[in-house]
Every structure is written in C-alpha cells, then in structure tokens.
Amino acid sequence: MRIIIILIMVSLTSYGCSPTERNNDHMGLFNKLFGKKDNPNRSDNKTENIDYKNKLLATKAFYPFDRWRQNYDNGLTQYTAENCNKVKKVFDDLISSLIEIGANAGEEQKKQLFKTAILKTNQLNEEIDGLIETGEREDLCSLTNKITIACGLNPAKYGEGEGLASEWREW
C-alpha cells in the first residue's frame, strides 16, 4: 500500500526535465507539503531550521533507487544494489550538506552543493555503462527539482527552466 501511495504522490507531483514543464502550477500536493509558509518573515529560526530539515528529509520519499534495483531482476544488470546505493549516497550527501549549511545559506552556496552532486552522478554514469538512461534521467531531474524546492530555490530559474540538474548533467 505504501508503494502505491508513493507512486500516486510521484505521479501527482512530477516535475520532470521537459522544457514544457517550466512552471510550478502543476506541483499540487508537493507545493502544499513543501511550498513556502504563509508567513515567510517569521522570526523563529529554530522552527524554520527544523522545517527546512524536515522538508529536505521528506524528499527521500521520492527516491527512485529501490525501483531501479527491481530492474536488475528484469535483466538490467547495471542496477545492482551496489550501483544504486552509489547514486543514493550522492543524494543522501546532498541533502545532508544542505541541512548542514542551513535554511539561511545563500543561493550560490546551495547551488555549489547541487553542482557537486550532479558532477558525481556524471562520473558514476561514465563508470557504470547504461546507469542513467531516459527513465533514470527523468527520475534524477525530478528528484533534484524536489530537493531544490525543499531547500528554498526555484528549479524553473535554472537550466533554461529545466532545473539545477540541467546546469551540469551529461546524462
């Protein structure tokens, strides 16, 4: 049942790499969960940092890596647990680093963390033949955009409207 709910949420909140999906109007439930608070000028930094951390951690519900692992059983041998865990670690590290620098970190500092993550995925894609194909690219772009929103940035502002992944991705 949990998988069905997650799949429904993903389909309702999908924000892919397509240039036709440049606005956030279709984000629906995701915006309700991760959108800006009614009072962005609140003074409680501790609460703000907890909200920021929780938003970032909540994006892990959109990780596609378990689904990728299932493809191994369908003959796609590049999706070993080890390979999928390598990509998962890149995004775990990105989220941890964003939490560490905090909600009030500057845009450039946050962008640098995304750049590091995307460059690491580029490297993994070079090392592991066939790791990031069309479906996986869409998964990673969508995930990157969700993390971008959770950390307070607008994905439509980057990569010609496609999001931060498109700034550096080679896949």
Side-chain angles (χ1 to χ4, degrees):
M1 183 68 170
R2 182 173 176 227
I3 293 173
I4 293 170
I5 292 170
I6 290 172
L7 290 174
I8 290 169
M9 288 178 67
V10 168
S11 67
L12 290 173
T13 61
S14 177
Y15 189 96
C17 292
S18 168
T20 61
E21 297 178 348
R22 291 187 178 170
N23 66 42
N24 288 335
D25 295 339
H26 67 286
M27 292 295 285
L29 178 61
F30 190 79
N31 275 341
K32 289 179 184 173
L33 291 172
F34 301 107
K36 293 182 179 177
K37 298 291 182 192
D38 292 335
N39 183 3
N41 295 323
R42 65 181 178 192
S43 60
D44 186 356
N45 275 344
K46 184 175 181 178
T47 301
E48 183 177 344
N49 283 330
I50 291 171
D51 288 346
Y52 175 78
K53 177 181 179 180
N54 289 337
K55 286 178 185 180
L56 285 166
L57 291 174
T59 63
K60 291 184 178 191
F62 298 96
Y63 275 12
F65 312 114
D66 288 337
R67 187 170 30 83
W68 290 10
R69 284 188 196 127
Q70 293 172 358
N71 290 329
Y72 181 82
D73 295 331
N74 297 327
L76 299 174
T77 57
Q78 67 269 34
Y79 299 113
T80 63
E82 179 184 1
N83 289 344
C84 292
N85 284 336
K86 287 178 182 179
V87 184
K88 179 182 177 289
K89 182 177 180 346
V90 170
F91 285 89
D92 284 344
D93 290 349
L94 170 61
I95 290 169
S96 294
S97 296
L98 287 165
I99 290 169
E100 186 177 311
I101 64 171
N104 296 321
E107 176 184 10
E108 288 304 314
Q109 192 175 6
K110 291 177 182 180
K111 277 180 54 179
Q112 189 60 43
L113 295 175
F114 281 93
K115 179 179 181 178
T116 299
I118 299 306
L119 293 177
K120 286 180 183 178
T121 60
N122 288 343
Q123 182 179 1
L124 287 172
N125 192 47
E126 286 180 26
E127 293 171 7
I128 304 165
D129 188 41
L131 180 67
I132 303 175
E133 300 292 340
T134 301
E136 294 75 24
R137 180 190 71 232
E138 291 173 2
D139 288 342
L140 294 180
C141 287
S142 178
L143 177 60
T144 301
N145 288 340
K146 286 172 176 51
I147 297 169
T148 302
I149 292 166
C151 81
L153 301 178
N154 180 356
K157 185 177 171 182
Y158 310 101
E160 296 180 7
E162 294 181 0
L164 277 168
S166 293
E167 292 278 324
W168 308 283
R169 71 179 176 88
E170 295 175 359
W171 26 270

